[in-house]
Amino acid sequence: MRTRGIRGLLAADDRIGAGNVLARVLAHGADPDGPGLTFDTPLDGHPAETALTLGQLERRVAARAAWLHERGIAPRDPVAVWATAAADMVLSYLALTRLGAIPALMNGRLRPAIAAEYIRRLRGVAVLADDEHRALLAEHDLGVPVLGTPTEAGGGDPDAAPAHYRHHPDDPIVITHTSGTTGVPKAVLHSHASLFAATRHLLSMPQAQGTTRILNALPAPHTATVLMVNQALGNRAEMLLLSDQSGERVVDAIQRWRPDGVFGFSVTWAELARFDLTGYDLDSVRLWFNTGDSSHEPHIRRLVAVGSRDVMTRTGVTRVPGSVFIDGLGSSEMGHSMFHVTHTRQTERYGRCIGRPYRFTKVAVLDADGEPVPTGEAGWLGIDSPSLFRGYWNDSVTTHRFRQRGWYLTGDLVYADAEGWYYHLDRAVDSVEAGDGKRFYTALSEERILAACPDVTDCTVVMVRQPTGVVTDVLLELAADADGSEDRTAAVRDALGADVGATLRRVVPVRSADIPVTVTGKVRKVALRERYLSGASQ
């Protein structure tokens, strides 16, 4: 069946949701020999980076479902999954949802003590963990058994798998989590319907260029990868999933695999800014898609300068140099990016513009009492969307703390202009009240420093309110050819502006080799603060 036809059928299918996309794609007549998924590690004897067909993918999922079923896993059973390889995470997700169970996908970089406490708080029935993570859990009381490794689960008999569970739209479908940088992460619950709401909308729209051969550089346990797996299956697209999202790994994969679209978080684009991208063969890339934290202008401009895209001219479709970058702001709780803005070489709308909302969502800028603020005034971002998470698993107190007057409060500070464009200022926890009605923003300050200092590839701003007032510390990651001995304090102070510049305490150059490998900008900020500024911020 033609891709365009099956996309429409899936968008109109009232049985489809985040827990059965693979089954419904096949039920609508998709070719079993068509694209399934491609992983960067070997899988059940299948070589790394060799595509699984749709039929082969279904058999691999069925084998794992059979293995889990034989060990008593049943509908609505929470099962924690802790592994590194994208194949282990994705196939465990697909197999558990086939049974109607609830996979709880865990970031492989969690500290073992935090991971163990997270598992205990899930109050689930079992754990799947690869050999490395199983060893890390060995000394901890989890309260539940470790069934085995995801690889062992692949040894099940696919012909013994039970029939696919019939999901209700409200059935819990997956638990992902927030970063866990300051303690045990919050467990984010999505339903069969909620985690498919955005995908259903996108399937009803014309398919965008850059979505037929996708490199997934999103972390495998994240909500965003679950979304991308379902979108790729629904679009009948090819997709290679990376287990390592470092800039070097992404550049290498682009040159070797030649995707037309690359999907990732802003931290990956910041790592790519370390490279002279003009020296690499990136011509295949038409689209860069960002979610999570919104991206900085200098990073976006470096990406859209490479690659190519199709444009409509008087003589027809023409391919021109320069790619497209779609930026947005999203989180595990949102269930998808809520905003989108498209950048090309010609774009001038920056200043941390996150764009306009998708049609499937409602957004508002609110004051502390949950009332809308005037246009142009900063406030809390409120979301009302069918894609929103269902709550924090086993934590109704925190669930309701972030709800106000029907809105989910994301923890972001934004403003909207008179044309309906939204701008992201900061995470509320990273900003500081400066007195006299003023608030200072770290993310906006980072944007200004990067725009003013071309030899700085990335930066981290940390603001702390002390009894004597606000103090600001800045960490600069310099380009490889930059003069590390140069004092950039004056340039940074000028970029920050008079009010924030007056609070500047010190500027610290940071080597790229010392940057912690993390999955989100929020994680990076906390890790750098702890490593370099823990003594200075007391």
Side-chain angles (χ1 to χ4, degrees), residues 222-467:
H222 200 276
T223 305
T225 286
V226 176
L227 285 164
M228 283 310 305
V229 166
N230 283 335
Q231 287 183 27
L233 291 173
N235 281 329
R236 307 306 308 117
E238 301 172 272
M239 185 164 74
L240 168 62
L241 294 102
L242 297 182
S243 305
D244 173 4
Q245 296 82 41
S246 66
E248 183 176 7
R249 181 75 176 97
V250 171
V251 167
D252 179 64
I254 292 172
Q255 293 187 112
R256 188 179 58 259
W257 200 69
R258 300 196 60 76
D260 60 7
V262 184
F263 287 60
F265 282 161
S266 61
V267 66
T268 294
W269 317 135
E271 288 197 23
L272 290 180
R274 301 174 187 172
F275 299 89
D276 176 7
L277 297 179
T278 61
Y280 297 85
D281 181 7
L282 308 180
D283 188 60
S284 69
V285 179
R286 304 183 183 204
L287 169 68
W288 311 88
F289 187 95
N290 177 67
T291 188
D293 303 317
S294 55
S295 291
H296 290 303
E297 175 183 351
H299 300 156
I300 297 172
R301 288 195 181 276
R302 286 173 181 260
L303 293 169
V304 298
V306 298
S308 59
R309 70 186 192 280
D310 291 337
V311 298
M312 181 62 70
T313 67
R314 292 181 178 179
T315 58
V317 177
T318 302
R319 195 161 190 182
V320 299
S323 50
V324 171
F325 187 101
I326 296 180
D327 197 13
L329 181 72
S331 67
S332 296
E333 291 91 338
M334 292 183 197
H336 193 272
S337 298
M338 293 292 102
F339 302 87
H340 61 101
V341 59
T342 300
H343 295 287
T344 66
R345 286 180 172 182
Q346 292 74 39
T347 298
E348 294 299 333
R349 190 183 296 279
Y350 284 104
R352 295 194 62 75
C353 178
I354 52 177
R356 291 181 166 129
Y358 279 101
R359 282 170 34 197
F360 59 80
T361 188
K362 296 178 183 177
V363 302
V365 185
L366 308 168
D367 64 17
D369 297 319
E371 298 295 339
V373 303
T375 298
E377 185 174 313
W380 298 80
L381 176 60
I383 300 292
D384 180 15
S385 170
S387 68
L388 278 176
F389 75 125
R390 303 294 90 179
Y392 295 114
W393 185 258
N394 289 339
D395 190 357
S396 58
V397 172
T398 305
T399 297
H400 293 294
R401 183 175 292 131
F402 288 91
R403 301 276 183 169
Q404 190 174 42
R405 300 183 185 273
W407 298 103
Y408 163 65
L409 302 181
T410 69
D412 295 285
L413 297 173
V414 302
Y415 73 91
D417 67 17
E419 298 178 71
W421 295 95
Y422 286 75
Y423 295 79
H424 183 258
L425 298 168
D426 212 355
R427 294 285 298 168
V429 295
D430 295 325
S431 67
V432 295
E433 290 282 1
D436 297 327
K438 295 179 180 178
R439 183 182 285 268
F440 295 161
Y441 306 104
T442 63
L444 186 60
S445 297
E446 290 160 359
E447 180 85 7
R448 290 170 175 169
I449 292 169
L450 288 170
C453 302
D455 60 352
V456 174
T457 60
D458 206 2
C459 68
T460 298
V461 173
V462 177
M463 296 177 180
V464 179
R465 184 173 179 83
Q466 297 185 337

